[in-house]
Amino acid sequence: MSAASPSPAVPTTVQSIFSRLAMAIARRRSYADGHPMAVQADEALTAALTAYLAEEPSLALGVANRELLLDGVVLPATSTVVRDLATRLHAMGIGAIKLQRGVTVDAVTQLVRLLSRRLNDPTLQDPLPSIHGIALGRIDYEQLGLADAETSRTESAQLWRALAERMLGSVGERDDGSDVVSPTRLASSLGDASTDASVAQRAFEALDTLADGVSLAPRAVRETIGERLQDLLSATELGAIVATLRGAGRARRQHLVQNVATVLPAAAVVRWLHAAASASGEDMSPHMLRLLSKMSVHFRGRRKEAAEEALRETAAKLVGGWEGGQLNPVDHAALLDTLAEWTAREGAPTAASASQFDSASQEAARLVQMACELDFVAPDTTVAVQKLADNGHSTAVLAWADRATSESTKRQLREMTLTPAAISRTLLATPLDSAAAKALLDATHEDVARVLIDALERCETRAGRRLIFDRLRTMHISIADTVRARMAEPMPWFLVRNLLALLRELLLATPDLPPTFAVGPLLLFQRHERAAVRREAIRLLAGVPSVRAAALRRALDDDSDDVQQAAIDVAFSQRKDELPLDVATRLLALAERATVPVELREKAVRAVGGTRHADVRTWLIAHSTRRARLTGSTKMAPTSETVRAAVHVLATAFATDPLATPVLALARKAGMVGDPR
């Protein structure tokens, strides 16, 4: 407990309260519960408290070295009542009692019942109960090394469960079999505060009671509850927190904000203050927010506890007066730059500082950095991100976004950064900054596929087009609909070729097309005036079972050698699949054409390896054998690549066919059977 100041006398109203409390304790020990004398004493004490609290927001009693403190001021021990009360509280291990305005007679009765226990009562070691309107705290034995860890855990769980019961009405089954209701569950309920005033009011009362109780608790309990409160507030939308804080008047709100700020971990205090400022209609300087954030992580050789205490003291003063508007932004900016230099000297990873930008972008850069550090994206952040992106600083913003604490902030900043204008500016820059372009592309998602396609059309450098294409082909197959929609519009032939190639790459990664994707219209590209487009079309369409045969027919009949070659290549790659007879016949016809390169003719023969049709068998036998002129007997044709290919297909597809077996016997004698190709 903090150092206390002496006081010359006990105020008359407080002396009356002490006297009535002593009387109520005495009667509770003398009479049973419900006895008129005990009830009368409780009612008299409640009346005295009500009169006092009509003028003061609370009455805080504390015990230090068997001395009684009133609101942090030591009361003189000349009064027997004061001495006895201090001795009793110290013996019971109660270090603080805080009574709030509006305390009821039922709550007073619970307090008197608690304080009237005999000093050898075994229940003195039990966790302190939760009493509505009255906060109780243990003497902080933890500082003396005498804290009971189990008692601290039990008291923490009890305080948290009391919060849950006030917020939810009924807790029911405990989460995951534990003794603690999860912050996520409470955050789900607190989220309704934005639209339901009764939820906001109930949540405010619950938080207010908890904060009063925790502020008087031992350090271990404060730290445990503070961490749970941090989880609760982090999982709750800022709007719901603001609505909750508006659930009471300014004085009570200020009291709650200050109490919670003394319990929360330092890193969570800034967001809590931002919500409090919004609830109070106050405007906190952005620089002040960032300074407070820096205070939560920079200790500059000081003990961590000292730095956190300084932050909380600053928070309390801010809430008390809300004088942030008088602070000098220029001085803040200079101090922020100094803090940034400390970070660099200490070896911490830092993104580009605001000073590295032109004058028009420096303030925008600071706002975005603040959003990352505070883990909060305000409306002015949106404007700042847009300004930086428009000025070509998208990659810097993305680097800052990666360092944001929460995934929500990262996602918001990325979405704001990856605008069509920003993407186009980076990808179409002359000269192209390949590193910046790749960093930006790596951060993109499927929702900007159309923007990347447009950039692919407009990009004038081969390196830039390759970067864009590589990013598109690694995206999810769901962008196929976007690609198909773009292909329905007028576009240059090279973009058509690239998009057909892109669809083929997507299919290779994920064979199943989206159910909404229409393949039929793509057949029209087999009639495109450019052979390069027709070539890419057959490479794509041969991979789609529903149109494979039709696509192969058109490609094999094409007058372009390049297109026919592409058709043979894809048919060869799928040689284990059965082909329609007319497609197989087209392939075998090309195998007989002397103008076709021999390696392609061989592939054409092997491409029919999965087609077990009599006409195919007849062609293979005829191609691989000859009739002797004198004897008329069958013999093997002169060895060639196509003959070897024909024998191989006979051996794999027609091995047991009675018409093929004599040919295969001749081939074995010639050493041509068993070709592994």
Side-chain angles (χ1 to χ4, degrees), residues 282-464:
E282 301 291 347
D283 182 24
M284 292 186 71
S285 159
H287 291 291
M288 170 57 80
L289 281 172
R290 192 173 175 209
L291 281 171
L292 290 174
S293 180
K294 289 288 186 180
M295 286 179 66
S296 70
V297 296
H298 287 284
F299 306 123
R300 194 81 161 128
R302 300 178 64 189
R303 289 184 304 106
K304 178 178 179 179
E305 294 79 3
E308 290 183 347
E309 187 61 30
L311 173 62
R312 293 190 173 100
E313 288 177 4
T314 302
K317 292 178 180 178
L318 262 178
V319 175
W322 291 112
E323 297 178 354
Q326 300 175 5
L327 299 169
N328 188 332
V330 176
D331 292 341
H332 290 165
L335 181 52
L336 287 170
D337 290 340
T338 301
L339 287 170
E341 292 174 5
W342 291 351
T343 304
R345 286 201 300 269
E346 292 164 4
T350 58
S353 66
S355 61
Q356 297 177 7
F357 295 91
D358 56 83
S359 57
S361 302
Q362 283 186 4
E363 185 60 26
R366 285 197 176 95
L367 287 173
V368 176
Q369 286 175 312
M370 277 189 276
C372 297
E373 293 171 0
L374 303 179
D375 197 24
F376 176 72
V377 179
D380 57 355
T381 309
T382 304
V383 177
V385 169
Q386 183 176 356
K387 185 172 185 177
L388 289 171
D390 290 345
N391 289 338
H393 301 303
S394 299
T395 52
V397 178
L398 292 173
W400 292 329
D402 286 339
R403 299 179 60 200
T405 304
S406 71
E407 288 301 321
S408 174
T409 299
K410 292 179 182 179
R411 185 183 67 255
Q412 291 182 71
L413 289 174
R414 285 172 182 156
E415 290 174 352
M416 290 187 293
T417 304
L418 298 173
T419 62
I423 293 173
S424 298
R425 183 185 182 98
T426 301
L427 299 180
L428 304 179
T430 303
L432 176 70
D433 184 340
S434 297
K438 187 176 186 309
L440 183 142
L441 287 168
D442 287 345
T444 58
H445 299 289
E446 285 71 12
D447 56 347
V448 297
R450 177 55 189 258
V451 178
L452 296 185
I453 292 171
D454 291 341
L456 183 63
E457 176 183 359
R458 297 169 56 195
C459 187
E460 297 181 356
T461 65
R462 181 185 296 272

Side-chain angles (χ1 to χ4, degrees), residues 88 117 182 194 368 401 455 459-460 473 483 648 671:
R88 170 167 287 276
R117 292 175 297 176
S182 70
S194 299
V368 176
C459 187
E460 297 181 356
R473 72 185 180 88
V483 177
H648 175 73

Side-chain angles (χ1 to χ4, degrees), residues 54-65:
E55 303 295 331
E56 302 291 340
S58 64
L59 174 65
L61 300 178
V63 177
N65 299 323

Side-chain angles (χ1 to χ4, degrees), residues 313-617:
E313 288 177 4
T314 302
K317 292 178 180 178
L318 262 178
V319 175
W322 291 112
E323 297 178 354
Q326 300 175 5
L327 299 169
N328 188 332
V330 176
D331 292 341
H332 290 165
L335 181 52
L336 287 170
D337 290 340
T338 301
L339 287 170
E341 292 174 5
W342 291 351
T343 304
R345 286 201 300 269
E346 292 164 4
T350 58
S353 66
S355 61
Q356 297 177 7
F357 295 91
D358 56 83
S359 57
S361 302
Q362 283 186 4
E363 185 60 26
R366 285 197 176 95
L367 287 173
V368 176
Q369 286 175 312
M370 277 189 276
C372 297
E373 293 171 0
L374 303 179
D375 197 24
F376 176 72
V377 179
D380 57 355
T381 309
T382 304
V383 177
V385 169
Q386 183 176 356
K387 185 172 185 177
L388 289 171
D390 290 345
N391 289 338
H393 301 303
S394 299
T395 52
V397 178
L398 292 173
W400 292 329
D402 286 339
R403 299 179 60 200
T405 304
S406 71
E407 288 301 321
S408 174
T409 299
K410 292 179 182 179
R411 185 183 67 255
Q412 291 182 71
L413 289 174
R414 285 172 182 156
E415 290 174 352
M416 290 187 293
T417 304
L418 298 173
T419 62
I423 293 173
S424 298
R425 183 185 182 98
T426 301
L427 299 180
L428 304 179
T430 303
L432 176 70
D433 184 340
S434 297
K438 187 176 186 309
L440 183 142
L441 287 168
D442 287 345
T444 58
H445 299 289
E446 285 71 12
D447 56 347
V448 297
R450 177 55 189 258
V451 178
L452 296 185
I453 292 171
D454 291 341
L456 183 63
E457 176 183 359
R458 297 169 56 195
C459 187
E460 297 181 356
T461 65
R462 181 185 296 272
R465 291 194 297 271
R466 171 49 60 184
L467 285 172
I468 298 169
F469 184 88
D470 285 347
R471 179 65 190 103
L472 284 168
R473 72 185 180 88
T474 58
M475 287 184 171
H476 189 266
I477 188 67
S478 59
I479 71 167
D481 284 327
T482 303
V483 177
R484 173 67 188 84
R486 180 64 184 89
M487 295 178 74
E489 303 172 10
M491 55 183 162
W493 71 268
F494 61 83
L495 182 60
V496 180
R497 179 198 61 194
N498 289 340
L499 294 185
L500 288 169
L502 172 60
L503 287 174
R504 182 166 64 91
E505 293 278 356
L506 292 172
L507 277 177
L508 288 174
T510 310
D512 297 327
L513 281 167
T516 56
F517 188 83
V519 180
L522 295 177
L523 290 168
L524 296 175
F525 291 107
Q526 287 193 285
R527 296 175 180 170
H528 198 279
E529 61 181 353
R530 291 273 185 166
V533 172
R534 301 198 301 273
R535 183 179 65 239
E536 288 300 334
I538 183 56
R539 288 174 174 171
L540 163 66
L541 296 170
V544 183
S546 62
V547 297
R548 178 183 299 156
L552 282 171
R553 289 187 189 98
R554 289 186 179 181
L556 292 170
D557 292 341
D558 199 289
D559 58 5
S560 167
D561 292 342
D562 288 343
V563 177
Q564 288 183 344
Q565 177 179 340
I568 293 172
D569 283 338
V570 295
F572 174 74
S573 68
Q574 301 166 359
R575 57 189 177 277
K576 293 183 180 180
D577 299 336
E578 185 169 3
L579 294 169
L581 180 59
D582 65 323
V583 175
T585 301
R586 284 176 168 83
L587 286 166
L588 296 176
L590 286 172
E592 293 178 324
R593 189 180 298 176
T595 56
V596 176
V598 66
E599 65 271 12
L600 287 179
R601 293 164 60 193
E602 178 195 359
K603 283 185 176 181
V605 175
R606 292 180 183 273
V608 302
T611 307
R612 293 167 173 80
H613 194 279
D615 289 353
V616 172
R617 178 200 60 199

Side-chain angles (χ1 to χ4, degrees), residues 40-376:
Q40 183 183 40
D42 293 347
E43 291 174 345
L45 174 58
T46 304
L49 286 169
T50 301
Y52 178 85
L53 294 173
E55 303 295 331
E56 302 291 340
S58 64
L59 174 65
L61 300 178
V63 177
N65 299 323
R66 291 183 172 79
E67 292 181 312
L68 196 63
L69 287 75
L70 174 64
D71 293 327
V73 178
V74 176
L75 297 176
T78 54
S79 167
T80 302
V81 173
V82 170
R83 286 198 308 272
D84 289 348
L85 181 57
T87 301
R88 170 167 287 276
L89 291 176
H90 187 274
M92 300 179 81
I94 297 176
I97 302 175
K98 192 170 187 178
L99 299 106
Q100 300 285 347
R101 183 178 295 168
V103 65
T104 64
V105 67
D106 288 340
V108 170
T109 297
Q110 291 182 62
L111 175 64
V112 173
R113 189 180 294 124
L114 179 74
L115 299 182
S116 63
R117 292 175 297 176
R118 298 188 181 278
L119 299 183
N120 61 354
D121 191 322
T123 64
L124 291 178
Q125 303 304 316
D126 292 348
L128 295 173
S130 176
I131 304 176
H132 185 68
I134 302 176
L136 301 170
R138 288 286 188 189
I139 295 175
D140 200 349
Y141 291 115
E142 190 172 34
Q143 294 182 359
L144 305 176
L146 303 175
D148 183 342
E150 182 60 32
T151 299
S152 296
R153 282 194 295 270
T154 303
E155 190 165 341
S156 299
Q158 188 177 39
L159 284 167
W160 189 257
R161 190 168 181 81
L163 169 74
E165 289 173 346
R166 290 189 177 95
M167 287 181 63
L168 303 177
S170 175
V171 173
E173 293 295 324
R174 296 173 178 178
D175 296 3
D176 303 324
S178 68
D179 61 349
V180 177
V181 179
S182 70
T184 303
R185 181 178 171 188
L186 293 181
S188 177
S189 173
L190 188 57
D192 296 333
S194 299
T195 55
D196 190 332
S198 63
V199 173
Q201 178 65 35
R202 189 166 62 246
F204 183 95
E205 296 295 340
L207 287 171
D208 194 35
T209 301
L210 174 72
D212 276 331
V214 176
S215 66
L216 305 175
R219 184 184 302 114
V221 176
R222 291 197 303 271
E223 290 177 351
T224 300
I225 296 298
E227 290 171 358
R228 291 179 188 168
L229 275 176
Q230 180 182 22
D231 293 340
L232 169 60
L233 297 175
S234 297
T236 306
E237 292 292 335
L238 188 67
I241 300 175
V242 172
T244 299
L245 290 173
R246 288 175 176 165
R250 189 180 188 90
R252 291 193 65 198
R253 178 167 59 245
Q254 177 179 321
H255 175 77
L256 172 61
V257 171
Q258 289 175 324
N259 271 356
V260 171
T262 64
V263 174
L264 283 175
V269 171
V270 178
R271 189 169 187 263
W272 175 245
L273 283 180
H274 195 282
S278 299
S280 302
E282 301 291 347
D283 182 24
M284 292 186 71
S285 159
H287 291 291
M288 170 57 80
L289 281 172
R290 192 173 175 209
L291 281 171
L292 290 174
S293 180
K294 289 288 186 180
M295 286 179 66
S296 70
V297 296
H298 287 284
F299 306 123
R300 194 81 161 128
R302 300 178 64 189
R303 289 184 304 106
K304 178 178 179 179
E305 294 79 3
E308 290 183 347
E309 187 61 30
L311 173 62
R312 293 190 173 100
E313 288 177 4
T314 302
K317 292 178 180 178
L318 262 178
V319 175
W322 291 112
E323 297 178 354
Q326 300 175 5
L327 299 169
N328 188 332
V330 176
D331 292 341
H332 290 165
L335 181 52
L336 287 170
D337 290 340
T338 301
L339 287 170
E341 292 174 5
W342 291 351
T343 304
R345 286 201 300 269
E346 292 164 4
T350 58
S353 66
S355 61
Q356 297 177 7
F357 295 91
D358 56 83
S359 57
S361 302
Q362 283 186 4
E363 185 60 26
R366 285 197 176 95
L367 287 173
V368 176
Q369 286 175 312
M370 277 189 276
C372 297
E373 293 171 0
L374 303 179
D375 197 24
F376 176 72

